[in-house]
């Protein structure tokens, strides 16, 4: 049921031609093969080169980091479903590098993410990085540095903000912070179950 609705949605996303400025790779399906029936959705930023190649979110180095962090929370990729805020891959230097999605791309893709979340209907959304947090929190006032690891309720979702797993690649000091947050996430999920 969810799978069919997702497939129909992803077909439409593949046909999407985003009018926003900035170079990008689009029209390639990057979708999770995780568990659409789960109550836990992880919200990333946008696919990168490796994700476009393999067609799954968090397939590259960021995915390897994520797998390690998930383990600390007592989770595997089969326990969660991963979606991205922006569906195409924002690039620069003729596709040689990724770039942060712009406001137009985030706004334009909001329609897809809203539909995706309506289908998946999760109880918990773990946001990875500031793009996902701002998209979901809806405001500029929320900063990942101030609210990581501190869950809040947004409409019908419990939101758990996290640093993006790739942040630790560039700022080694963040690795420990992210590890602590994932341990906290595991404890919090177990408490919610009781
Ligand atoms: N980073 C993200 O935010 N999403 C991906 O799918 C891969 C890396």
């Amino acid at each position: 049921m969810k799978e069919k609705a997702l497939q129909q949605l992803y077909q439409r996303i593949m046909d999407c031609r985003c009018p926003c400025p900035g170079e990008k790779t689009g029209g390639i399906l990057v979708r999770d093969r995780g568990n659409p029936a789960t109550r836990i959705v992880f919200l990333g930023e946008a696919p990168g080169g490796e994700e476009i190649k393999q067609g799954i979110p968090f397939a590259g180095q960021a995915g390897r980091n994520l797998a390690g962090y998930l383990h600390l929370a007592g989770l595997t990729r089969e326990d969660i479903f991963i979606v991205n805020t922006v569906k195409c891959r924002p690039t620069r230097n003729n596709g040689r590098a990724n770039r942060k999605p712009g406001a137009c791309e985030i706004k334009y893709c909001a329609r897809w993410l809203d539909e995706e979340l309506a289908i998946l209907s999760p109880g918990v959304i773990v946001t990875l990085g500031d793009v996902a947090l701002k998209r979901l929190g809806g405001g500029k006032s929320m900063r990942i540095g101030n609210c990581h690891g501190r869950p809040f309720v947004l409409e019908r979702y419990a939101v758990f903000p996290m640093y993006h797993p790739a942040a630790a690649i560039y700022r080694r000091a963040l690795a420990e912070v992210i590890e602590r947050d994932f341990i906290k996430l595991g404890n919090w999920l177990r408490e919610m179950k009781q």
Side-chain angles (χ1 to χ4, degrees):
M1 175 80 167
K2 278 187 183 181
E3 188 50 47
K4 193 166 174 215
L6 282 175
Q7 274 183 19
Q8 283 169 352
L9 172 65
Y10 292 140
Q11 190 56 51
R12 286 164 51 223
I13 293 176
M14 277 203 295
D15 293 337
C16 169
R17 295 291 171 263
C18 162
C20 300
E23 59 168 87
K24 59 190 93 304
T25 313
I28 294 159
L29 185 59
V30 176
R31 64 148 298 179
D32 202 2
R33 318 226 166 97
N35 174 10
T38 182
R39 293 198 37 79
I40 311 166
V41 160
F42 276 60
L43 177 60
E45 185 174 299
E50 199 54 38
E51 285 72 27
I52 292 282
K53 229 190 263 167
Q54 296 190 32
I56 45 172
F58 284 88
Q61 181 60 46
R64 284 190 286 283
N65 289 8
L66 179 62
Y69 291 132
L70 283 175
H71 183 71
L72 294 175
L75 297 169
T76 69
R77 279 187 77 139
E78 280 73 50
D79 299 316
I80 65 170
F81 196 83
I82 308 178
V83 299
N84 274 312
T85 305
V86 167
K87 306 306 183 188
C88 63
R89 175 192 173 208
T91 56
R92 59 192 167 81
N93 290 348
N94 290 325
R96 280 193 287 275
N98 300 329
R99 93 184 135 74
K100 228 179 168 59
C104 174
E105 288 156 330
I106 295 167
K107 196 166 169 205
Y108 196 79
C109 278
R111 70 199 67 195
W112 303 128
L113 181 62
D114 285 346
E115 280 195 52
E116 208 172 14
L117 292 178
I119 295 166
L120 291 166
S121 181
V124 172
I125 302 179
V126 180
T127 56
L128 300 173
D130 58 345
V131 167
L133 176 65
K134 284 195 177 128
R135 161 63 183 90
L136 212 65
K140 290 203 170 73
S141 58
M142 289 195 125
R143 290 184 170 272
I144 190 68
N146 300 334
C147 54
H148 66 93
R150 298 198 346 236
F152 63 94
V153 173
L154 181 84
E155 294 163 18
R156 55 190 181 284
Y157 309 119
V159 178
F160 196 104
M162 287 280 189
Y163 277 104
H164 195 285
I169 300 173
Y170 308 106
R171 275 175 67 191
R172 287 302 307 153
L174 279 183
E176 254 181 55
V177 176
I178 301 176
E179 282 168 17
R180 275 201 301 273
D181 284 349
F182 269 85
I183 292 168
K184 199 167 163 191
L185 170 68
N187 292 336
W188 177 71
L189 289 171
R190 280 185 289 275
E191 270 167 31
M192 285 217 304
K193 256 193 190 168
Q194 283 160 11

